[in-house]
Structure formats: C-alpha cells, structure tokens
Amino acid sequence: MNEFLRQALELVALGVPVLPLREGKGPFGNCGDCTENRCGGRPNMKAAGACECPRPCHAWAAATTSVDVVTSAAWMAAWRKSAAVAYHPGGVGLTVVDLDNADAVAWARETLPATRTVMTTRGQHWIYLGTMQSANNVRPGVDIKSLMAYARWLGRGEGQMIRLPEVVTSLPRYVVPAGAVASSPVSRTAWSREVASGCRHTERYVRTGLDKGVAMVTSHREQGASSQAFGVARFLGSLHQECPGPCGLEALGGEIVAAAVSVGVPETYAVRAVDRGFSEAGVAVPSTQMT
C-alpha cells in the first residue's frame, strides 16, 4: 500500500469521495472504452449515462467513497502510478478557493473572510462550507473548485472553516450545457444582494435556504435530482411571494440548475424542472437558461 492509497482510504472512512492523480496532478485519462464518452458517461456527469467501467475514468466523476472500488484491481493499477490523491469538494459540501500564487494569496487576505487554509506547492487552498458552481480563472491565479471538480488532498489545514460567503459566490461562474464545448460557456449570474434589491429577506436567510436546497439536489447522484430541483425551486419561490421584488430568483434558479447538472441531469431538463417549480409557487421568473 503506497502513501496515496493510504491517504485515500483515510478519506473514504470519513465519507470523502477520492480519486488518484497521475504525474502532473491530472486525472488518469479515460480508457479506450470511455474515450470521447463512448461509454455514455458516468451517471453524475453533465449528461446521464450508463458507464460501468471499473477504472478511474472521467476525472472528478470517478471519485468514490467505496473501499471496494478504491482497492479494486483496476484502481490498484492506477495507484501504483499515482503522484497524488484528489477529492471531490462538492461531494462533501465544500468549496475550495484555489490560490495559485503569492499575488492571489495577497488578494484573498485582503478580500475574503478567513477560513480553513491549506498550503499548496505555490499558494493556498481556502476551504468554505457550502457548494457552488466551479470555475477557473475567476481572477488572476484564482480557481473555484466545488461542484463538478476535484482538488488535491494536501492535508487538513489550519483555521476554523466558515460558511461560503457572498464575496466568493458572487465571483464570475460558468456552466457548460450538455453537448456544448468547454470553449463556449454560458454565463450564469450568481445570486447576490445586487440582483435582489427588492427582496425583504436577509442575505443569510436566502443563502441558507439555497445551500440546503442545493445539497438536497446534489445528494441525489443516481436519480431524482430533477424532481428535487423542482421541489427546491417551488419552495424558494413560495418564500418570495410577498416580496416587492426583484428578488433575483433567476439567479437562484441558475444555481439550482447548476447543481442538478452537476449530478447528471441534462441542462434542458433541469431548466424545465426549475421553471415549473417557480411557476407552481406563483412567481414569474425569467428563464433560468439565460441568466
């Protein structure tokens, strides 16, 4: 048993989804059966599929908490060549702000509330409680790793972990719809007080409800995420029936859609479910697909 496999098993015991990384900190490439998604994709990819490949294909989507999978013959072959162990932050309700250099760290110290910090090779990981859509290059040297992403495991870090703050959730984020290429993302606005100037609720109240709703959606990794997205949208919409508006419900809807997409619901289905939920709650919301 090598060092990285031992670390992985310790994380699995805590319920953290893990995967091996090759030299260069990247995931192991897809096998021949999975190249170009010929296998159909794993169930928690952007589009639902039926991949039953025993190998750690599909990067973050292969992350698992199964001891049997982690110690299987197929994964052992990868562990023998591994250079690091990674985990899926969104799978345990976390967001990692990856600060890649000294300038990025200096920006975080001036801008972000202090939270648990993990030292990296060139910078730091700042870890917050709560999930959001992942995005690279939200500013120079800063990536967001949460839903549909992996981060290297570099230890527990130091400091008290706090709730995901608005200053992080309001950073630019992107969702790539099923079937689209990564070079043509659809911009999706994050919920913030700026887009909810007529909401009578506090920011903490709205964010708490949204975080709980997103957690409910992402917990349905095999099936039922679309129905959960509908229910969350209906519930959140009902809370804003008496608000003068605007409440930024299109931004809230976008975050629910992103959560459903992250566990395998095609975006068109997720958008439809969220729009129906808001409609049944009796609130009019612009299409979440265009926010």
Side-chain angles (χ1 to χ4, degrees):
M1 184 182 297
N2 66 26
E3 172 191 357
F4 303 121
L5 176 55
R6 185 177 297 107
Q7 290 176 351
L9 290 174
E10 291 174 356
L11 291 172
V12 165
L14 298 173
V16 180
V18 298
L19 71 151
L21 297 181
R22 57 178 170 76
E23 198 72 37
K25 303 185 295 185
F28 283 85
N30 291 350
C31 68
D33 292 338
C34 296
T35 299
E36 297 180 351
N37 223 35
R38 284 197 292 264
C39 62
R42 293 191 186 275
N44 55 342
M45 295 292 283
K46 297 170 189 172
C51 176
E52 297 181 356
C53 179
R55 285 158 285 201
C57 292
H58 305 295
W60 70 270
T64 181
T65 56
S66 168
V67 173
D68 291 340
V69 172
V70 169
T71 58
S72 66
W75 278 55
M76 288 301 293
W79 287 119
R80 284 192 288 270
K81 301 176 182 178
S82 63
V85 59
Y87 69 106
H88 174 37
V92 282
L94 300 177
T95 291
V96 177
V97 180
D98 185 2
L99 307 166
D100 204 33
N101 53 50
D103 289 342
V105 172
W107 166 83
R109 288 173 176 166
E110 293 178 357
T111 310
L112 306 182
T115 187
R116 180 167 296 181
T117 302
V118 178
M119 302 303 294
T120 68
T121 307
R122 296 178 297 181
Q124 297 177 1
H125 285 173
W126 286 34
I127 305 177
Y128 294 95
L129 288 168
T131 61
M132 61 183 283
Q133 187 64 32
S134 302
N136 291 329
N137 301 315
V138 295
R139 58 172 293 110
V142 181
D143 298 331
I144 304 295
K145 298 181 177 182
S146 184
L147 301 173
M148 299 173 65
Y150 67 86
R152 277 192 304 157
W153 174 255
L154 297 168
R156 293 178 177 271
E158 297 181 353
Q160 181 66 39
M161 198 181 306
I162 68 167
R163 295 293 302 174
L164 187 60
E166 181 185 352
V167 68
V168 174
T169 60
S170 62
L171 289 169
R173 290 175 294 156
Y174 301 91
V175 173
V176 181
V181 296
S183 60
S184 58
V186 174
S187 177
R188 194 180 299 286
T189 303
W191 187 91
S192 67
R193 179 55 61 188
E194 285 71 23
V195 299
S197 57
C199 183
R200 64 185 179 89
H201 300 293
T202 66
E203 176 188 335
R204 180 178 181 181
Y205 179 85
V206 175
R207 289 294 331 172
T208 297
L210 177 62
D211 286 347
K212 289 181 178 178
V214 166
M216 291 173 61
V217 174
T218 56
S219 68
H220 288 70
R221 299 170 68 89
E222 300 298 328
Q223 61 181 358
S226 182
S227 296
Q228 285 295 321
F230 164 78
V232 171
R234 182 175 59 183
F235 173 73
L236 291 179
S238 67
L239 298 180
H240 296 269
Q241 288 178 326
E242 304 301 322
C243 293
C247 293
L249 293 185
E250 61 274 21
L252 290 179
E255 299 205 35
I256 302 169
V257 168
V261 169
S262 77
V263 291
V265 179
E267 186 174 31
T268 53
Y269 295 173
V271 168
R272 190 180 310 152
V274 170
D275 285 348
R276 284 196 304 109
F278 282 139
S279 177
E280 287 210 6
V283 292
V285 183
S287 173
T288 53
Q289 193 168 21
M290 301 304 295
T291 60

